[in-house]
Amino acid sequence: MTRTTPPVHEAAAGVFFARGTDVNWILLREGRDLTLIDSGWPGDADALLASVRALGHRPEDVRAVLLTHAHIDHMGGAVHLHQRYRTPVFLHQAELAQTGGGHKQQATAADIAPHLWKPSALAWSLRIVRAGALGPHRVPPALPLPATGALDLPGRPVPVPCHGHTSGHTAYFLPAIGAVATGDALVTAHPLSRTRGPQLLPKLFSHDPAATASSLDALAALDAGLVLPGHGSPWHGPVADAVAAARE
Ligand SMILES: [Zn+2]
């Protein structure tokens, strides 16, 4: 089968957007070094390494993995990179408290089952089971993000707390590019959603839906014209407009 979507493409100068199993990750390039934001399902680890090599890099070039949150579909590849290459992994402090013995704020099979009557949702559930949704939910040993300011990593990402989807969910703002990696705080599509374009994830995935909605203020305040979501395609336009669309 040929893929119609290239596994990785340059969304902005030095910013590479890659798709795994219905989930995305982002690579920031500076010289020979990379920063990885999110990392797909455990079963996406090979695709993750392929996306690094597609840029002419080696896995050892990844200086750090920044996770938006500790859900299994975002941290699978980080487990592999840390084990194999000792790549440091960073998470918000509030997320670290959740990671002992698997994430407590994650939708379960029982939460998802009532939505599987639609053929597209059923096909999605089979894909994610193959990608490792049923476990084991291994968590990479992670370090807490510094409290404020740009990180001294390729792309100079600035953590932006936007809690709600999980207690420590964090977006990453790229001031020099005018882009923001929004993780699951703001997405542009999901197999369980009927609409496309900027939106919130279906409520069953959100630990605190009210906080998820109010934390969009932090994203709307950013001077960004490119949204790089955890699910769905990149979206070009002022992030404040994307937030307004998601709130409708
Ligand atoms: Zn999530």
Side-chain angles (χ1 to χ4, degrees), residues 7-208:
V8 55
H9 81 274
E10 193 164 15
V15 179
F16 299 87
F17 188 84
R19 291 169 187 273
T21 305
D22 300 281
V23 68
N24 308 319
W25 59 84
I26 295 151
L27 289 152
L28 311 177
R29 172 149 77 189
E30 205 172 292
R32 288 307 308 163
D33 297 325
L34 299 171
T35 300
L36 174 65
I37 300 176
D38 281 344
S39 63
W41 295 94
D44 287 328
D46 285 346
L48 173 64
L49 297 178
S51 70
V52 168
R53 294 198 175 99
L55 305 185
H57 283 265
R58 304 167 309 151
E60 295 90 327
D61 298 340
V62 179
R63 293 287 150 256
V65 187
L66 305 177
L67 297 177
T68 57
H69 63 300
H71 278 168
I72 186 70
D73 53 331
H74 296 257
M75 63 183 180
V79 172
H80 178 81
L81 276 176
H82 184 269
Q83 264 185 353
R84 180 84 199 273
Y85 303 100
R86 298 278 135 220
T87 315
V89 179
F90 290 89
L91 258 179
H92 189 278
Q93 183 72 49
E95 246 1 58
L96 287 171
Q98 292 293 330
T99 55
H103 204 289
K104 314 283 191 303
Q105 298 177 350
Q106 179 135 28
T108 64
D111 296 328
I112 293 168
H115 301 264
L116 298 185
W117 55 271
K118 263 195 346 187
S120 62
L122 187 59
W124 165 75
S125 74
L126 296 175
R127 285 197 299 277
I128 67 170
V129 164
R130 274 200 301 275
L134 298 182
H137 288 200
R138 284 154 66 218
V139 178
L143 303 163
L145 284 168
T148 53
L151 302 174
D152 185 19
L153 288 169
R156 310 294 131 184
V158 179
V160 180
C162 45
H163 309 334
H165 177 73
T166 56
S167 299
H169 189 286
T170 301
Y172 295 96
F173 177 43
L174 308 172
I177 302 290
V180 57
T182 54
D184 283 3
L186 177 65
V187 303
T188 59
H190 190 276
L192 295 191
S193 165
R194 275 186 225 102
T195 58
R196 294 203 169 253
Q199 60 189 278
L200 298 177
L201 279 174
K203 280 202 170 76
L204 77 136
F205 294 112
S206 207
H207 172 62
D208 183 343

